[in-house]
Amino acid sequence: MQLSTAIRPISEVKAQAAEIIRTFSEEAAPPVIITQNGEAKAVLMGIHEYERMQETLAMLKALSLSGKSLEAGKGRSAREVFSDLRRHEGRKAE
């Protein structure tokens, strides 16, 4: 994404709001950085990009928490986890 093409003054956003919003219907539409008096003030993005960003942040948080758990010695090997899952599934089948 090139930020230089995404920067728009608020006056342009007001005048072309419908067209700008229409571009967000595209799957990979870049966000628009809105400036006021030459200073970046807000970011306007489509719902698909917003959802993708939220999912990415959730994944990063989960990775961070799991890393902290491993550092604290709370982790288990994959072999242990799968062994427990097999035992649990075996009990459900009975």
Side-chain angles (χ1 to χ4, degrees), residues 50-69:
Y50 178 78
E51 288 173 340
R52 187 174 297 127
M53 182 182 71
Q54 292 299 310
E55 290 167 0
T56 300
L57 289 173
M59 180 65 72
L60 289 171
K61 185 175 182 179
L63 288 171
S64 174
L65 291 173
S66 66
K68 289 178 183 176
S69 292

Side-chain angles (χ1 to χ4, degrees), residues 24-93:
F24 291 139
S25 64
E26 301 166 10
E27 185 73 23
V32 173
I33 299 167
I34 303 170
T35 62
Q36 186 175 33
N37 300 323
E39 185 178 342
K41 293 290 187 177
V43 176
L44 184 62
M45 63 177 33
I47 190 67
H48 297 295
E49 286 299 315
Y50 178 78
E51 288 173 340
R52 187 174 297 127
M53 182 182 71
Q54 292 299 310
E55 290 167 0
T56 300
L57 289 173
M59 180 65 72
L60 289 171
K61 185 175 182 179
L63 288 171
S64 174
L65 291 173
S66 66
K68 289 178 183 176
S69 292
L70 286 174
E71 288 173 4
K74 296 179 182 177
R76 296 186 337 168
S77 72
R79 183 171 287 140
E80 289 177 291
V81 172
F82 285 115
S83 176
D84 287 353
L85 288 172
R86 285 187 201 101
R87 273 198 306 275
H88 181 71
E89 284 300 312
R91 280 188 254 141
K92 282 175 71 176

